[in-house]
Amino acid sequence: DAGITQSPRYKITETGRQVTLMCHQTWSHSYMFWYRQDLGHGLRLIYYSAAADITDKGEVPDGYVVSRSKTENFPLTLESATRSQTSVYFCAGSSSDQGEQYFGPGTRLTVT
Amino acid sequence: GQNIDQPTEMTATEGAIVQINCTYQTSGFNGLFWYQQHAGEAPTFLSYNVLDGLEEKGRFSSFLSRSKGYSYLLLKELQMKDSASYLCACVDSNYQLIWGAGTKLIIKP
């Protein structure tokens, strides 16, 4: 059981396009998180969700939109992709806001 | 501001012991995590400390001193598969994780 799955694993898109990264969990975690990871930086929180229909901004939310209509899905949308959004994106789940987080395999996004 | 400091890179020899340090300055403190991340893969949980002292888990141990804002991860009997990045992360007063940039550990035979 993979727990947290992400799709696509790799994506190349052009500046200005809208792109959605999918995250699906099978473990019924209450909390879900979206991070980006860039060289020289720690993981930076984009958005998180405490439950279905409850989302909140993290450290770097600008240019991103999330939704969580179902507990198991937490898609991340880049409304108009920019080169600065080239990164590796990780989705994670947890039973609490301060508990151990379980990460998906990541999506490597390149914006040209 | 909030800050987590770790060395960028460390090198150690197979079979030896290595200590990876992490110092933190956060608004409030509700615990500290260590994660391991192999190149191209997702982070995986190693340890969690919220009280001062040493937590031992097999070849890996993690230490915390809240008064000094300091933690370390100790890896014993190093194996080649331990080559990875080690991420330190603190839970702040808002119960959000603040992550360090990670320490890349290179193991040489």
Side-chain angles (χ1 to χ4, degrees), chain A residues 9 35 37 40-43 45 48 57-58 90 97-101 103-105, chain B residues 30 33 35 37 40-43 45 48 87 91 94-97 99-101:
Chain A
R9 294 293 313 278
Y35 292 96
Q37 187 174 41
H41 291 274
L43 288 162
L45 182 65
Y48 67 101
K57 296 179 180 179
F90 286 103
D97 54 358
Q98 57 179 318
E100 175 185 348
Q101 293 187 12
F103 285 80
Chain B
N30 287 293
F33 287 90
Y35 281 76
Q37 185 177 25
E41 297 183 8
F45 170 80
Y48 173 70
L87 314 181
V91 184
N94 294 320
Y95 295 98
Q96 288 193 4
L97 276 181
W99 295 82

PDB file of all heavy atoms in Angstrom, chain A residues 9 35 37 40-43 45 48 57-58 90 97-101 103-105, chain B residues 30 33 35 37 40-43 45 48 87 91 94-97 99-101:
ATOM      1  N   ARG A   9       4.482  12.220 -12.117  1.00  0.00           N
ATOM      2  CA  ARG A   9       5.778  12.221 -11.442  1.00  0.00           C
ATOM      3  C   ARG A   9       6.705  13.259 -12.053  1.00  0.00           C
ATOM      4  O   ARG A   9       7.557  13.816 -11.365  1.00  0.00           O
ATOM      5  CB  ARG A   9       6.428  10.842 -11.523  1.00  0.00           C
ATOM      6  CG  ARG A   9       5.675   9.753 -10.767  1.00  0.00           C
ATOM      7  CD  ARG A   9       5.719   9.982  -9.231  1.00  0.00           C
ATOM      8  NE  ARG A   9       7.055  10.286  -8.756  1.00  0.00           N
ATOM      9  CZ  ARG A   9       7.980   9.385  -8.505  1.00  0.00           C
ATOM     10  NH1 ARG A   9       7.710   8.102  -8.680  1.00  0.00           N
ATOM     11  NH2 ARG A   9       9.169   9.745  -8.067  1.00  0.00           N
ATOM     12  N   TYR A  35       4.380  20.744  -0.151  1.00  0.00           N
ATOM     13  CA  TYR A  35       5.669  21.409  -0.012  1.00  0.00           C
ATOM     14  C   TYR A  35       6.321  21.552  -1.386  1.00  0.00           C
ATOM     15  O   TYR A  35       6.088  20.761  -2.285  1.00  0.00           O
ATOM     16  CB  TYR A  35       6.628  20.562   0.843  1.00  0.00           C
ATOM     17  CG  TYR A  35       6.277  20.430   2.291  1.00  0.00           C
ATOM     18  CD1 TYR A  35       5.574  19.319   2.757  1.00  0.00           C
ATOM     19  CD2 TYR A  35       6.683  21.380   3.218  1.00  0.00           C
ATOM     20  CE1 TYR A  35       5.283  19.163   4.104  1.00  0.00           C
ATOM     21  CE2 TYR A  35       6.399  21.237   4.568  1.00  0.00           C
ATOM     22  CZ  TYR A  35       5.696  20.123   4.997  1.00  0.00           C
ATOM     23  OH  TYR A  35       5.412  19.979   6.331  1.00  0.00           O
ATOM     24  N   GLN A  37      10.417  21.794  -2.795  1.00  0.00           N
ATOM     25  CA  GLN A  37      11.795  21.610  -2.359  1.00  0.00           C
ATOM     26  C   GLN A  37      12.728  22.096  -3.453  1.00  0.00           C
ATOM     27  O   GLN A  37      12.711  21.591  -4.573  1.00  0.00           O
ATOM     28  CB  GLN A  37      12.090  20.144  -2.032  1.00  0.00           C
ATOM     29  CG  GLN A  37      13.467  19.934  -1.399  1.00  0.00           C
ATOM     30  CD  GLN A  37      13.700  18.509  -0.958  1.00  0.00           C
ATOM     31  OE1 GLN A  37      13.327  17.562  -1.651  1.00  0.00           O
ATOM     32  NE2 GLN A  37      14.310  18.334   0.206  1.00  0.00           N
ATOM     33  N   GLY A  40      19.238  24.134  -1.859  1.00  0.00           N
ATOM     34  CA  GLY A  40      19.682  25.172  -0.940  1.00  0.00           C
ATOM     35  C   GLY A  40      18.616  25.657   0.018  1.00  0.00           C
ATOM     36  O   GLY A  40      18.901  26.452   0.918  1.00  0.00           O
ATOM     37  N   HIS A  41      17.413  25.179  -0.166  1.00  0.00           N
ATOM     38  CA  HIS A  41      16.325  25.546   0.738  1.00  0.00           C
ATOM     39  C   HIS A  41      15.784  24.302   1.416  1.00  0.00           C
ATOM     40  O   HIS A  41      15.854  23.197   0.878  1.00  0.00           O
ATOM     41  CB  HIS A  41      15.180  26.195  -0.036  1.00  0.00           C
ATOM     42  CG  HIS A  41      15.491  27.543  -0.578  1.00  0.00           C
ATOM     43  ND1 HIS A  41      15.344  28.700   0.139  1.00  0.00           N
ATOM     44  CD2 HIS A  41      15.958  27.927  -1.779  1.00  0.00           C
ATOM     45  CE1 HIS A  41      15.698  29.724  -0.597  1.00  0.00           C
ATOM     46  NE2 HIS A  41      16.075  29.293  -1.767  1.00  0.00           N
ATOM     47  N   GLY A  42      15.252  24.498   2.587  1.00  0.00           N
ATOM     48  CA  GLY A  42      14.507  23.416   3.213  1.00  0.00           C
ATOM     49  C   GLY A  42      13.174  23.261   2.514  1.00  0.00           C
ATOM     50  O   GLY A  42      12.798  24.064   1.652  1.00  0.00           O
ATOM     51  N   LEU A  43      12.448  22.232   2.876  1.00  0.00           N
ATOM     52  CA  LEU A  43      11.081  22.089   2.390  1.00  0.00           C
ATOM     53  C   LEU A  43      10.287  23.317   2.809  1.00  0.00           C
ATOM     54  O   LEU A  43      10.361  23.751   3.970  1.00  0.00           O
ATOM     55  CB  LEU A  43      10.447  20.832   2.982  1.00  0.00           C
ATOM     56  CG  LEU A  43      10.961  19.501   2.434  1.00  0.00           C
ATOM     57  CD1 LEU A  43      10.613  18.365   3.371  1.00  0.00           C
ATOM     58  CD2 LEU A  43      10.375  19.251   1.059  1.00  0.00           C
ATOM     59  N   LEU A  45       6.486  25.021   3.025  1.00  0.00           N
ATOM     60  CA  LEU A  45       5.061  24.677   3.023  1.00  0.00           C
ATOM     61  C   LEU A  45       4.289  25.657   2.145  1.00  0.00           C
ATOM     62  O   LEU A  45       4.388  26.878   2.309  1.00  0.00           O
ATOM     63  CB  LEU A  45       4.531  24.708   4.461  1.00  0.00           C
ATOM     64  CG  LEU A  45       3.073  24.322   4.655  1.00  0.00           C
ATOM     65  CD1 LEU A  45       2.845  22.854   4.283  1.00  0.00           C
ATOM     66  CD2 LEU A  45       2.656  24.572   6.102  1.00  0.00           C
ATOM     67  N   TYR A  48      -1.768  23.713   3.466  1.00  0.00           N
ATOM     68  CA  TYR A  48      -2.088  22.510   4.184  1.00  0.00           C
ATOM     69  C   TYR A  48      -3.596  22.454   4.428  1.00  0.00           C
ATOM     70  O   TYR A  48      -4.310  23.447   4.257  1.00  0.00           O
ATOM     71  CB  TYR A  48      -1.309  22.387   5.503  1.00  0.00           C
ATOM     72  CG  TYR A  48      -1.651  23.409   6.557  1.00  0.00           C
ATOM     73  CD1 TYR A  48      -2.492  23.103   7.617  1.00  0.00           C
ATOM     74  CD2 TYR A  48      -1.090  24.681   6.511  1.00  0.00           C
ATOM     75  CE1 TYR A  48      -2.787  24.035   8.584  1.00  0.00           C
ATOM     76  CE2 TYR A  48      -1.385  25.628   7.476  1.00  0.00           C
ATOM     77  CZ  TYR A  48      -2.218  25.299   8.514  1.00  0.00           C
ATOM     78  OH  TYR A  48      -2.510  26.221   9.480  1.00  0.00           O
ATOM     79  N   LYS A  57      -3.125  28.646   4.293  1.00  0.00           N
ATOM     80  CA  LYS A  57      -1.871  28.992   3.629  1.00  0.00           C
ATOM     81  C   LYS A  57      -0.684  28.607   4.487  1.00  0.00           C
ATOM     82  O   LYS A  57      -0.713  28.680   5.707  1.00  0.00           O
ATOM     83  CB  LYS A  57      -1.831  30.498   3.355  1.00  0.00           C
ATOM     84  CG  LYS A  57      -2.886  30.983   2.397  1.00  0.00           C
ATOM     85  CD  LYS A  57      -2.790  32.497   2.213  1.00  0.00           C
ATOM     86  CE  LYS A  57      -3.861  32.990   1.238  1.00  0.00           C
ATOM     87  NZ  LYS A  57      -3.804  34.463   1.055  1.00  0.00           N
ATOM     88  N   GLY A  58       0.391  28.261   3.795  1.00  0.00           N
ATOM     89  CA  GLY A  58       1.657  28.029   4.450  1.00  0.00           C
ATOM     90  C   GLY A  58       2.590  29.196   4.229  1.00  0.00           C
ATOM     91  O   GLY A  58       2.162  30.344   4.116  1.00  0.00           O
ATOM     92  N   PHE A  90       6.232  17.990  -3.107  1.00  0.00           N
ATOM     93  CA  PHE A  90       5.894  16.833  -2.290  1.00  0.00           C
ATOM     94  C   PHE A  90       4.562  17.061  -1.593  1.00  0.00           C
ATOM     95  O   PHE A  90       4.316  18.111  -1.009  1.00  0.00           O
ATOM     96  CB  PHE A  90       6.956  16.575  -1.222  1.00  0.00           C
ATOM     97  CG  PHE A  90       8.229  15.995  -1.747  1.00  0.00           C
ATOM     98  CD1 PHE A  90       9.353  16.788  -1.913  1.00  0.00           C
ATOM     99  CD2 PHE A  90       8.314  14.648  -2.072  1.00  0.00           C
ATOM    100  CE1 PHE A  90      10.542  16.256  -2.397  1.00  0.00           C
ATOM    101  CE2 PHE A  90       9.493  14.100  -2.548  1.00  0.00           C
ATOM    102  CZ  PHE A  90      10.605  14.915  -2.718  1.00  0.00           C
ATOM    103  N   ASP A  97      -1.398  17.872  13.203  1.00  0.00           N
ATOM    104  CA  ASP A  97      -0.621  18.982  12.635  1.00  0.00           C
ATOM    105  C   ASP A  97       0.823  18.954  13.109  1.00  0.00           C
ATOM    106  O   ASP A  97       1.666  19.638  12.539  1.00  0.00           O
ATOM    107  CB  ASP A  97      -1.266  20.324  12.964  1.00  0.00           C
ATOM    108  CG  ASP A  97      -1.507  20.509  14.460  1.00  0.00           C
ATOM    109  OD1 ASP A  97      -1.214  19.582  15.238  1.00  0.00           O
ATOM    110  OD2 ASP A  97      -2.004  21.578  14.840  1.00  0.00           O
ATOM    111  N   GLN A  98       1.133  18.194  14.142  1.00  0.00           N
ATOM    112  CA  GLN A  98       2.502  18.159  14.647  1.00  0.00           C
ATOM    113  C   GLN A  98       3.070  16.755  14.682  1.00  0.00           C
ATOM    114  O   GLN A  98       4.107  16.524  15.278  1.00  0.00           O
ATOM    115  CB  GLN A  98       2.557  18.758  16.049  1.00  0.00           C
ATOM    116  CG  GLN A  98       1.637  18.056  17.040  1.00  0.00           C
ATOM    117  CD  GLN A  98       1.748  18.663  18.428  1.00  0.00           C
ATOM    118  OE1 GLN A  98       2.843  18.955  18.869  1.00  0.00           O
ATOM    119  NE2 GLN A  98       0.630  18.851  19.094  1.00  0.00           N
ATOM    120  N   GLY A  99       2.399  15.842  14.031  1.00  0.00           N
ATOM    121  CA  GLY A  99       2.853  14.465  14.033  1.00  0.00           C
ATOM    122  C   GLY A  99       3.758  14.136  12.869  1.00  0.00           C
ATOM    123  O   GLY A  99       4.020  14.967  11.994  1.00  0.00           O
ATOM    124  N   GLU A 100       4.238  12.909  12.868  1.00  0.00           N
ATOM    125  CA  GLU A 100       5.055  12.404  11.784  1.00  0.00           C
ATOM    126  C   GLU A 100       4.300  12.554  10.465  1.00  0.00           C
ATOM    127  O   GLU A 100       3.103  12.259  10.382  1.00  0.00           O
ATOM    128  CB  GLU A 100       5.366  10.936  12.037  1.00  0.00           C
ATOM    129  CG  GLU A 100       6.113  10.219  10.940  1.00  0.00           C
ATOM    130  CD  GLU A 100       6.256   8.744  11.231  1.00  0.00           C
ATOM    131  OE1 GLU A 100       5.974   8.332  12.370  1.00  0.00           O
ATOM    132  OE2 GLU A 100       6.631   8.009  10.288  1.00  0.00           O
ATOM    133  N   GLN A 101       5.034  13.013   9.443  1.00  0.00           N
ATOM    134  CA  GLN A 101       4.412  13.182   8.128  1.00  0.00           C
ATOM    135  C   GLN A 101       4.919  12.098   7.190  1.00  0.00           C
ATOM    136  O   GLN A 101       6.097  11.746   7.195  1.00  0.00           O
ATOM    137  CB  GLN A 101       4.735  14.573   7.574  1.00  0.00           C
ATOM    138  CG  GLN A 101       4.075  15.683   8.388  1.00  0.00           C
ATOM    139  CD  GLN A 101       4.238  17.059   7.778  1.00  0.00           C
ATOM    140  OE1 GLN A 101       4.644  17.208   6.632  1.00  0.00           O
ATOM    141  NE2 GLN A 101       3.899  18.076   8.550  1.00  0.00           N
ATOM    142  N   PHE A 103       5.320  11.090   3.276  1.00  0.00           N
ATOM    143  CA  PHE A 103       5.439  11.823   2.022  1.00  0.00           C
ATOM    144  C   PHE A 103       5.140  10.941   0.814  1.00  0.00           C
ATOM    145  O   PHE A 103       5.447   9.749   0.801  1.00  0.00           O
ATOM    146  CB  PHE A 103       6.862  12.377   1.872  1.00  0.00           C
ATOM    147  CG  PHE A 103       7.143  13.558   2.748  1.00  0.00           C
ATOM    148  CD1 PHE A 103       7.450  13.392   4.093  1.00  0.00           C
ATOM    149  CD2 PHE A 103       7.085  14.842   2.233  1.00  0.00           C
ATOM    150  CE1 PHE A 103       7.707  14.487   4.905  1.00  0.00           C
ATOM    151  CE2 PHE A 103       7.340  15.946   3.042  1.00  0.00           C
ATOM    152  CZ  PHE A 103       7.647  15.765   4.371  1.00  0.00           C
ATOM    153  N   GLY A 104       4.561  11.590  -0.201  1.00  0.00           N
ATOM    154  CA  GLY A 104       4.450  10.955  -1.500  1.00  0.00           C
ATOM    155  C   GLY A 104       5.780  11.007  -2.211  1.00  0.00           C
ATOM    156  O   GLY A 104       6.725  11.628  -1.727  1.00  0.00           O
ATOM    157  N   PRO A 105       5.882  10.377  -3.396  1.00  0.00           N
ATOM    158  CA  PRO A 105       7.163  10.275  -4.098  1.00  0.00           C
ATOM    159  C   PRO A 105       7.618  11.570  -4.750  1.00  0.00           C
ATOM    160  O   PRO A 105       8.772  11.672  -5.169  1.00  0.00           O
ATOM    161  CB  PRO A 105       6.886   9.207  -5.164  1.00  0.00           C
ATOM    162  CG  PRO A 105       5.423   9.305  -5.407  1.00  0.00           C
ATOM    163  CD  PRO A 105       4.811   9.650  -4.087  1.00  0.00           C
TER     164      PRO A 105
ATOM    165  N   ASN B  30       7.658  22.960  19.732  1.00  0.00           N
ATOM    166  CA  ASN B  30       6.791  21.845  20.095  1.00  0.00           C
ATOM    167  C   ASN B  30       7.330  20.519  19.584  1.00  0.00           C
ATOM    168  O   ASN B  30       6.568  19.603  19.288  1.00  0.00           O
ATOM    169  CB  ASN B  30       5.370  22.085  19.568  1.00  0.00           C
ATOM    170  CG  ASN B  30       4.637  23.156  20.352  1.00  0.00           C
ATOM    171  OD1 ASN B  30       4.325  22.987  21.525  1.00  0.00           O
ATOM    172  ND2 ASN B  30       4.380  24.281  19.694  1.00  0.00           N
ATOM    173  N   PHE B  33      11.989  17.024  14.576  1.00  0.00           N
ATOM    174  CA  PHE B  33      12.023  15.798  13.780  1.00  0.00           C
ATOM    175  C   PHE B  33      13.344  15.690  13.026  1.00  0.00           C
ATOM    176  O   PHE B  33      13.940  16.702  12.647  1.00  0.00           O
ATOM    177  CB  PHE B  33      10.913  15.816  12.711  1.00  0.00           C
ATOM    178  CG  PHE B  33       9.533  15.618  13.248  1.00  0.00           C
ATOM    179  CD1 PHE B  33       8.771  16.704  13.648  1.00  0.00           C
ATOM    180  CD2 PHE B  33       8.979  14.351  13.306  1.00  0.00           C
ATOM    181  CE1 PHE B  33       7.471  16.529  14.113  1.00  0.00           C
ATOM    182  CE2 PHE B  33       7.678  14.172  13.763  1.00  0.00           C
ATOM    183  CZ  PHE B  33       6.930  15.263  14.176  1.00  0.00           C
ATOM    184  N   TYR B  35      14.491  13.600   9.506  1.00  0.00           N
ATOM    185  CA  TYR B  35      14.073  12.784   8.373  1.00  0.00           C
ATOM    186  C   TYR B  35      15.301  12.445   7.533  1.00  0.00           C
ATOM    187  O   TYR B  35      16.268  13.213   7.484  1.00  0.00           O
ATOM    188  CB  TYR B  35      13.083  13.538   7.481  1.00  0.00           C
ATOM    189  CG  TYR B  35      11.666  13.582   8.005  1.00  0.00           C
ATOM    190  CD1 TYR B  35      11.300  14.430   9.042  1.00  0.00           C
ATOM    191  CD2 TYR B  35      10.674  12.779   7.439  1.00  0.00           C
ATOM    192  CE1 TYR B  35      10.001  14.466   9.516  1.00  0.00           C
ATOM    193  CE2 TYR B  35       9.369  12.811   7.904  1.00  0.00           C
ATOM    194  CZ  TYR B  35       9.038  13.658   8.936  1.00  0.00           C
ATOM    195  OH  TYR B  35       7.734  13.687   9.406  1.00  0.00           O
ATOM    196  N   GLN B  37      16.493  11.537   3.568  1.00  0.00           N
ATOM    197  CA  GLN B  37      16.033  11.650   2.189  1.00  0.00           C
ATOM    198  C   GLN B  37      17.143  11.193   1.244  1.00  0.00           C
ATOM    199  O   GLN B  37      18.164  11.871   1.106  1.00  0.00           O
ATOM    200  CB  GLN B  37      15.619  13.093   1.861  1.00  0.00           C
ATOM    201  CG  GLN B  37      15.008  13.243   0.475  1.00  0.00           C
ATOM    202  CD  GLN B  37      14.533  14.645   0.183  1.00  0.00           C
ATOM    203  OE1 GLN B  37      15.016  15.616   0.759  1.00  0.00           O
ATOM    204  NE2 GLN B  37      13.566  14.770  -0.732  1.00  0.00           N
ATOM    205  N   GLY B  40      16.608  11.891  -5.009  1.00  0.00           N
ATOM    206  CA  GLY B  40      15.505  11.600  -5.906  1.00  0.00           C
ATOM    207  C   GLY B  40      14.308  10.933  -5.252  1.00  0.00           C
ATOM    208  O   GLY B  40      13.377  10.517  -5.949  1.00  0.00           O
ATOM    209  N   GLU B  41      14.349  10.827  -3.922  1.00  0.00           N
ATOM    210  CA  GLU B  41      13.246  10.162  -3.228  1.00  0.00           C
ATOM    211  C   GLU B  41      12.590  11.104  -2.221  1.00  0.00           C
ATOM    212  O   GLU B  41      13.013  12.232  -2.017  1.00  0.00           O
ATOM    213  CB  GLU B  41      13.764   8.898  -2.528  1.00  0.00           C
ATOM    214  CG  GLU B  41      14.310   7.868  -3.490  1.00  0.00           C
ATOM    215  CD  GLU B  41      14.755   6.598  -2.781  1.00  0.00           C
ATOM    216  OE1 GLU B  41      14.506   6.458  -1.564  1.00  0.00           O
ATOM    217  OE2 GLU B  41      15.352   5.744  -3.459  1.00  0.00           O
ATOM    218  N   ALA B  42      11.534  10.613  -1.583  1.00  0.00           N
ATOM    219  CA  ALA B  42      10.823  11.401  -0.593  1.00  0.00           C
ATOM    220  C   ALA B  42      11.502  11.293   0.769  1.00  0.00           C
ATOM    221  O   ALA B  42      12.165  10.296   1.064  1.00  0.00           O
ATOM    222  CB  ALA B  42       9.383  10.904  -0.485  1.00  0.00           C
ATOM    223  N   PRO B  43      11.332  12.294   1.625  1.00  0.00           N
ATOM    224  CA  PRO B  43      11.827  12.178   3.007  1.00  0.00           C
ATOM    225  C   PRO B  43      11.092  11.072   3.751  1.00  0.00           C
ATOM    226  O   PRO B  43       9.893  10.853   3.542  1.00  0.00           O
ATOM    227  CB  PRO B  43      11.503  13.546   3.612  1.00  0.00           C
ATOM    228  CG  PRO B  43      11.309  14.459   2.459  1.00  0.00           C
ATOM    229  CD  PRO B  43      10.732  13.608   1.361  1.00  0.00           C
ATOM    230  N   PHE B  45      10.649   9.427   7.833  1.00  0.00           N
ATOM    231  CA  PHE B  45      10.795   9.742   9.253  1.00  0.00           C
ATOM    232  C   PHE B  45      11.893   8.913   9.904  1.00  0.00           C
ATOM    233  O   PHE B  45      11.991   7.701   9.688  1.00  0.00           O
ATOM    234  CB  PHE B  45       9.466   9.476   9.943  1.00  0.00           C
ATOM    235  CG  PHE B  45       9.502   9.520  11.444  1.00  0.00           C
ATOM    236  CD1 PHE B  45       9.474  10.732  12.103  1.00  0.00           C
ATOM    237  CD2 PHE B  45       9.568   8.351  12.182  1.00  0.00           C
ATOM    238  CE1 PHE B  45       9.506  10.777  13.485  1.00  0.00           C
ATOM    239  CE2 PHE B  45       9.598   8.382  13.564  1.00  0.00           C
ATOM    240  CZ  PHE B  45       9.554   9.599  14.220  1.00  0.00           C
ATOM    241  N   TYR B  48      11.785  11.649  16.509  1.00  0.00           N
ATOM    242  CA  TYR B  48      11.082  12.812  17.042  1.00  0.00           C
ATOM    243  C   TYR B  48      11.507  13.004  18.493  1.00  0.00           C
ATOM    244  O   TYR B  48      11.497  12.049  19.275  1.00  0.00           O
ATOM    245  CB  TYR B  48       9.575  12.609  16.963  1.00  0.00           C
ATOM    246  CG  TYR B  48       8.755  13.685  17.643  1.00  0.00           C
ATOM    247  CD1 TYR B  48       8.687  14.956  17.106  1.00  0.00           C
ATOM    248  CD2 TYR B  48       8.047  13.412  18.817  1.00  0.00           C
ATOM    249  CE1 TYR B  48       7.925  15.944  17.719  1.00  0.00           C
ATOM    250  CE2 TYR B  48       7.287  14.399  19.437  1.00  0.00           C
ATOM    251  CZ  TYR B  48       7.223  15.666  18.882  1.00  0.00           C
ATOM    252  OH  TYR B  48       6.472  16.643  19.482  1.00  0.00           O
ATOM    253  N   LEU B  87      17.418  15.727   7.187  1.00  0.00           N
ATOM    254  CA  LEU B  87      16.660  16.962   7.351  1.00  0.00           C
ATOM    255  C   LEU B  87      16.219  17.122   8.801  1.00  0.00           C
ATOM    256  O   LEU B  87      15.643  16.196   9.384  1.00  0.00           O
ATOM    257  CB  LEU B  87      15.418  16.952   6.452  1.00  0.00           C
ATOM    258  CG  LEU B  87      15.598  16.507   5.011  1.00  0.00           C
ATOM    259  CD1 LEU B  87      14.258  16.587   4.272  1.00  0.00           C
ATOM    260  CD2 LEU B  87      16.633  17.339   4.302  1.00  0.00           C
ATOM    261  N   VAL B  91       8.832  21.954  15.122  1.00  0.00           N
ATOM    262  CA  VAL B  91       7.426  22.318  15.187  1.00  0.00           C
ATOM    263  C   VAL B  91       7.334  23.626  15.950  1.00  0.00           C
ATOM    264  O   VAL B  91       7.742  23.689  17.124  1.00  0.00           O
ATOM    265  CB  VAL B  91       6.603  21.230  15.904  1.00  0.00           C
ATOM    266  CG1 VAL B  91       5.124  21.575  15.871  1.00  0.00           C
ATOM    267  CG2 VAL B  91       6.844  19.864  15.272  1.00  0.00           C
ATOM    268  N   ASN B  94       2.832  27.613  16.082  1.00  0.00           N
ATOM    269  CA  ASN B  94       1.611  27.421  15.294  1.00  0.00           C
ATOM    270  C   ASN B  94       1.456  25.973  14.840  1.00  0.00           C
ATOM    271  O   ASN B  94       0.608  25.679  14.000  1.00  0.00           O
ATOM    272  CB  ASN B  94       1.617  28.340  14.073  1.00  0.00           C
ATOM    273  CG  ASN B  94       1.541  29.794  14.453  1.00  0.00           C
ATOM    274  OD1 ASN B  94       0.805  30.174  15.369  1.00  0.00           O
ATOM    275  ND2 ASN B  94       2.307  30.639  13.779  1.00  0.00           N
ATOM    276  N   TYR B  95       2.284  25.110  15.386  1.00  0.00           N
ATOM    277  CA  TYR B  95       2.276  23.686  15.038  1.00  0.00           C
ATOM    278  C   TYR B  95       2.570  23.447  13.568  1.00  0.00           C
ATOM    279  O   TYR B  95       2.064  22.489  12.978  1.00  0.00           O
ATOM    280  CB  TYR B  95       0.965  23.022  15.477  1.00  0.00           C
ATOM    281  CG  TYR B  95       0.816  23.033  16.975  1.00  0.00           C
ATOM    282  CD1 TYR B  95       0.054  24.009  17.602  1.00  0.00           C
ATOM    283  CD2 TYR B  95       1.485  22.097  17.752  1.00  0.00           C
ATOM    284  CE1 TYR B  95      -0.045  24.038  18.984  1.00  0.00           C
ATOM    285  CE2 TYR B  95       1.387  22.125  19.132  1.00  0.00           C
ATOM    286  CZ  TYR B  95       0.619  23.096  19.748  1.00  0.00           C
ATOM    287  OH  TYR B  95       0.524  23.127  21.110  1.00  0.00           O
ATOM    288  N   GLN B  96       3.385  24.331  12.980  1.00  0.00           N
ATOM    289  CA  GLN B  96       3.861  24.113  11.626  1.00  0.00           C
ATOM    290  C   GLN B  96       5.312  23.670  11.673  1.00  0.00           C
ATOM    291  O   GLN B  96       6.079  24.079  12.544  1.00  0.00           O
ATOM    292  CB  GLN B  96       3.737  25.393  10.797  1.00  0.00           C
ATOM    293  CG  GLN B  96       2.304  25.725  10.447  1.00  0.00           C
ATOM    294  CD  GLN B  96       2.209  26.803   9.368  1.00  0.00           C
ATOM    295  OE1 GLN B  96       3.195  27.259   8.815  1.00  0.00           O
ATOM    296  NE2 GLN B  96       0.985  27.199   9.075  1.00  0.00           N
ATOM    297  N   LEU B  97       5.686  22.840  10.712  1.00  0.00           N
ATOM    298  CA  LEU B  97       7.069  22.368  10.635  1.00  0.00           C
ATOM    299  C   LEU B  97       7.921  23.400   9.913  1.00  0.00           C
ATOM    300  O   LEU B  97       7.567  23.846   8.816  1.00  0.00           O
ATOM    301  CB  LEU B  97       7.141  21.042   9.887  1.00  0.00           C
ATOM    302  CG  LEU B  97       6.869  19.764  10.674  1.00  0.00           C
ATOM    303  CD1 LEU B  97       7.016  18.552   9.776  1.00  0.00           C
ATOM    304  CD2 LEU B  97       7.817  19.645  11.838  1.00  0.00           C
ATOM    305  N   TRP B  99      11.607  23.668   8.318  1.00  0.00           N
ATOM    306  CA  TRP B  99      12.619  22.725   7.873  1.00  0.00           C
ATOM    307  C   TRP B  99      13.973  23.379   7.661  1.00  0.00           C
ATOM    308  O   TRP B  99      14.058  24.496   7.135  1.00  0.00           O
ATOM    309  CB  TRP B  99      12.180  22.093   6.552  1.00  0.00           C
ATOM    310  CG  TRP B  99      10.957  21.253   6.657  1.00  0.00           C
ATOM    311  CD1 TRP B  99       9.663  21.696   6.659  1.00  0.00           C
ATOM    312  CD2 TRP B  99      10.899  19.841   6.763  1.00  0.00           C
ATOM    313  NE1 TRP B  99       8.799  20.627   6.773  1.00  0.00           N
ATOM    314  CE2 TRP B  99       9.537  19.471   6.829  1.00  0.00           C
ATOM    315  CE3 TRP B  99      11.858  18.825   6.802  1.00  0.00           C
ATOM    316  CZ2 TRP B  99       9.119  18.151   6.937  1.00  0.00           C
ATOM    317  CZ3 TRP B  99      11.442  17.502   6.902  1.00  0.00           C
ATOM    318  CH2 TRP B  99      10.085  17.178   6.975  1.00  0.00           C
ATOM    319  N   GLY B 100      15.020  22.668   8.060  1.00  0.00           N
ATOM    320  CA  GLY B 100      16.356  23.053   7.659  1.00  0.00           C
ATOM    321  C   GLY B 100      16.601  22.640   6.214  1.00  0.00           C
ATOM    322  O   GLY B 100      15.831  21.871   5.640  1.00  0.00           O
ATOM    323  N   ALA B 101      17.692  23.142   5.646  1.00  0.00           N
ATOM    324  CA  ALA B 101      18.013  22.857   4.242  1.00  0.00           C
ATOM    325  C   ALA B 101      18.561  21.448   4.040  1.00  0.00           C
ATOM    326  O   ALA B 101      18.681  20.988   2.907  1.00  0.00           O
ATOM    327  CB  ALA B 101      18.993  23.890   3.697  1.00  0.00           C
TER     328      ALA B 101
END
